[in-house]
Structure formats: C-alpha cells, structure tokens
C-alpha cells in the first residue's frame, strides 16, 4: 500500500513534505479507491459542475461532485472527506452530516446528471453515491443506491430539514 500511496502522491505532484503529511490518508484511500473497487469504470469526470433546477422547491442547485464515474450499472457519484476521527453513525445517519452525498442521491434518483462523458457510457440504472471517509488510520465507504426508495427518501428528508430555514430566509 505504501508504494501505491507514493505513486498517487507523485502523480498528484506532491512535494516530499506534503507527501509525509498526507501519506496516512493516501494509504487508506488505496483500499477504497474507485479504480480499485469498481471493475467496470468506462469513464471518469473529476470536479465537474452539476446544475439542477428544482422547480418544486424553486431552487437552483449547483454542486461539484469530487468524481463522477460511468459504470455498467449506472453513474457513480463519489464524495471524499478526510477526517480526524471516523464517525460511528450508520450510513443513512451520515446523510445529514454530508449533504453533498444526499444531493447526489437525489440528483441521480431524478436522473438529473446529464454530463455526456458519464451518461453516454453508463448502464441503465440511476446509479449510486459513494461517500468515502478517510482518516489517518482507516477508510470507510458508504454506498447509497439511487434506485432504493428508502435511501432516496432519507436523502430527501435530510436535505429538506437542512434547507428549510435557508429557503424561508428573506432577511439575509
């Protein structure tokens, strides 16, 4: 794993001092890297803006997934977060803490990702969101199926609870 972490650091152009600082997180990433864990990645698009007009909520949502992947099962939306301590919450309980993942679930469930680099070579399903959590001592991958009704409902609920106050604010 150390060799693979060093290869990733070199590919990213990290200096020796920076490499020493981030090496524990890079080493943990290797175990959950989508290019290792997913066998059928046809295309990948890093940090591309996704814009969705939610006419029901009267909101324009602009987000930038860390990585969009095209797979045989459908698109995969990957969010990566580095942490000091790994949370012990269940996967669905993580959605309010990481609203980017909840947005991804809703966007994929509504088939609102239209990036041709991903959609043109993805399978027929709505896809999945992967929340990659990295600490210096461990990695965790929470996977959310955008076709699962309970998962989509949990994502919508967490976003509604988080954004209700913002959407009603007319003084800021």
């Amino acid at each position: 794993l150390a060799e693979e972490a060093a290869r990733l650091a070199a590919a990213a152009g990290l200096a020796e001092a920076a490499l020493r600082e981030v090496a524990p997180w890079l080493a943990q990433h290797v175990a959950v890297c989508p290019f290792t864990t997913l066998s059928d990645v046809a295309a990948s698009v890093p940090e591309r803006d996704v814009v969705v007009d939610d006419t029901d909520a009267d909101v324009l949502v602009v987000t930038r997934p860390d990585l969009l992947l095209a797979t045989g099962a459908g698109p995969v939306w990957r969010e990566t977060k580095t942490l000091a301590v790994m949370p012990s919450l269940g996967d669905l309980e993580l959605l309010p803490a990481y609203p980017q993942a909840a947005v991804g679930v809703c966007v994929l469930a509504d088939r609102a990702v239209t990036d041709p680099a991903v959609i043109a070579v993805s399978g027929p399903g709505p896809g999945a969101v992967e929340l990659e959590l990295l600490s210096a001592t461990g990695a965790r991958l929470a996977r959310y199926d955008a076709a699962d009704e309970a998962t989509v409902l949990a994502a919508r609920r967490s976003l509604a609870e988080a954004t209700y106050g913002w959407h009603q604010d007319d003084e800021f």
Side-chain angles (χ1 to χ4, degrees):
L1 290 180
E3 286 180 22
E4 184 65 9
R7 187 189 69 73
L8 289 171
L14 291 175
E16 185 70 28
L19 173 57
R20 278 194 301 278
E21 185 177 341
V22 301
W25 284 268
L26 278 174
Q28 298 305 322
H29 167 73
V30 171
V32 293
C33 176
F35 300 107
T36 303
T37 61
L38 299 173
S39 61
D40 61 346
V41 175
S44 63
V45 180
E47 297 188 357
R48 176 97 40 97
D49 286 346
V50 174
V51 180
V52 179
D53 184 6
D54 185 337
T55 55
D56 291 339
D58 191 26
V59 170
L60 186 65
V61 177
V62 181
T63 186
R64 183 178 295 161
D66 291 331
L67 189 62
L68 284 172
L69 301 153
T71 73
V76 174
W77 177 305
R78 174 68 76 109
E79 293 291 343
T80 302
K81 305 298 174 198
T82 56
L83 310 161
V85 177
M86 193 64 65
S88 60
L89 299 170
D91 288 353
L92 292 180
E93 295 171 310
L94 290 170
L95 289 172
Y98 300 98
Q100 307 93 323
V103 167
V105 170
C106 296
V107 168
L108 290 179
D110 293 341
R111 297 182 185 264
V113 170
T114 58
D115 192 312
V118 173
I119 298 306
V121 291
S122 280
V129 171
E130 294 182 342
L131 176 60
E132 176 182 345
L133 303 176
L134 298 173
S135 74
T137 59
R140 175 178 173 186
L141 188 64
R143 187 171 171 86
Y144 303 97
D145 181 353
D148 180 71
E149 289 181 34
T151 299
V152 174
L153 181 61
R156 292 191 197 288
R157 180 181 298 122
S158 72
L159 288 175
E161 290 171 357
T163 61
Y164 178 79
W166 305 338
H167 197 259
Q168 302 300 316
D169 183 7
D170 60 2
E171 293 181 24
F172 180 72

